[in-house]
């Protein structure tokens, strides 16, 4: 019988597959919201539905050489975490007390949204340079763990 992944590894593998749908030219990110071992919602980073993707129109942040973690307002895309929250809202799915599985550490904008949405913990695979996000999660008592 083959080795079965533990739940965190299983959901993180799914988040990695979700990230393959990303249309971002700089970083592919995937996110899942999970409650009681059931997937509630998924999201990946990219332009809003129905709008041109960065793959088609280019990346303003790249053109301006904006460093990672800065000037989020210049990006035409939504973050994976934002899309997971939005998809749950669109479909009427409650996400309070869910766990976020995400391929990357959330930025401070997403951190604020996740805190207010009542997300209880994060399981991540890669870091991201946003000290404010780290501080916000710590202050909110949201547990952060890593799965490689």
């Amino acid at each position: 019988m083959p080795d079965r992944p533990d739940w965190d590894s299983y959901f993180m593998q799914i988040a990695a597959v979700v990230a393959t749908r990303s249309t971002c030219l700089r970083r592919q990110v995937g996110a899942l919201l999970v409650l009681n071992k059931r997937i509630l919602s998924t999201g990946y980073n990219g332009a809003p539905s129905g709008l041109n993707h960065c793959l088609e129109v280019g990346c303003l942040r790249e053109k301006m050489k904006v460093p990672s973690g800065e000037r989020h307002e210049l990006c035409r895309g939504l973050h994976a975490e934002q899309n997971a929250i939005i998809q749950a809202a669109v479909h009427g799915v409650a996400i309070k007390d869910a766990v976020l599985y995400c391929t990357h550490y959330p930025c401070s904008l997403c951190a604020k949204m996740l805190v207010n949405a009542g997300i209880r913990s994060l399981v991540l695979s890669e870091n991201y340079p946003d000290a404010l996000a780290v501080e916000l999660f710590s202050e909110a008592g949201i547990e952060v763990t890593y799965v490689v």
Side-chain angles (χ1 to χ4, degrees):
M1 184 157 148
D3 288 337
R4 294 176 69 201
D6 61 50
W7 285 107
D8 285 346
S9 297
Y10 171 73
F11 289 126
M12 193 55 67
Q13 289 172 24
I14 295 171
V17 171
V18 171
T20 65
R21 291 283 304 151
S22 170
T23 58
C24 180
L25 298 171
R26 296 180 91 176
R27 179 187 325 263
Q28 282 67 50
V29 180
L32 308 175
L33 291 169
V34 175
L35 184 64
N36 298 325
K37 300 180 184 160
R38 301 290 178 255
I39 298 170
L40 303 176
S41 180
T42 67
Y44 53 87
N45 56 327
S49 297
L51 301 186
N52 290 325
H53 296 292
C54 301
L55 293 170
E56 300 161 329
V57 299
C59 175
L60 180 59
R61 293 178 73 230
E62 192 67 27
K63 289 176 189 163
M64 295 176 66
K65 306 220 183 303
V66 175
S68 184
E70 297 179 15
R71 305 289 316 270
H72 296 283
E73 74 279 4
L74 296 176
C75 180
R76 71 183 288 111
L78 291 155
H79 291 184
E81 306 91 325
Q82 294 168 342
N83 270 325
I85 292 168
I86 292 166
Q87 285 304 305
V90 165
H91 296 287
V93 176
I95 59 173
K96 185 176 183 330
D97 294 324
V99 176
L100 174 79
Y101 287 84
C102 193
T103 58
H104 294 74
Y105 202 102
C107 71
S108 57
L109 297 173
C110 290
K112 291 182 270 188
M113 293 175 71
L114 293 163
V115 168
N116 269 7
I119 302 308
R120 67 178 158 93
S121 63
L122 311 177
V123 181
L124 313 167
S125 62
E126 293 189 38
N127 213 346
Y128 185 76
D130 195 325
L132 178 56
V134 174
E135 182 181 323
L136 293 169
F137 288 132
S138 176
E139 186 177 340
I142 295 175
E143 179 185 359
V144 178
T145 58
Y146 286 88
V147 171
V148 183

